[in-house]
Amino acid sequence: KHSLVGHATFGLDSASPPGRALQTAAPVVVEDLPNDPEFRLSDALREHGIVSAANVPVRIDGRVWGVLEADADE
């Protein structure tokens, strides 16, 4: 939904794929997010039928400034 772009937020805890990527400064790939017991599927991703996600920390000058996420519905 276009209304989520620029407005959706995700948890920073280790049960959130982007949160874990931010905390560990390491990529996080989840192939079956709805059924993975380690991770929580956010309402925004559930509403869009997202099944898999890849989260990569964005590093600048040795510090993590954010996370780039790519999602798929398969």
Side-chain angles (χ1 to χ4, degrees):
K1 297 179 183 176
H2 293 285
S3 62
L4 288 177
V5 176
H7 299 284
T9 59
F10 299 96
L12 295 177
D13 60 287
S14 63
S16 164
R20 189 173 296 182
L22 190 65
Q23 288 180 10
T24 63
V28 174
V29 176
V30 185
E31 293 182 19
D32 188 5
L33 191 52
N35 297 305
D36 193 312
E38 282 190 62
F39 296 102
R40 176 183 62 255
L41 180 61
S42 72
D43 291 340
L45 297 182
R46 182 180 293 109
E47 289 175 19
H48 288 84
I50 299 302
V51 175
S52 58
N55 292 268
V56 181
V58 176
R59 296 181 194 177
I60 299 173
D61 295 328
R63 296 181 61 201
V64 177
W65 287 84
V67 175
L68 174 66
E69 179 169 333
D71 303 317
D73 60 0
E74 54 183 62

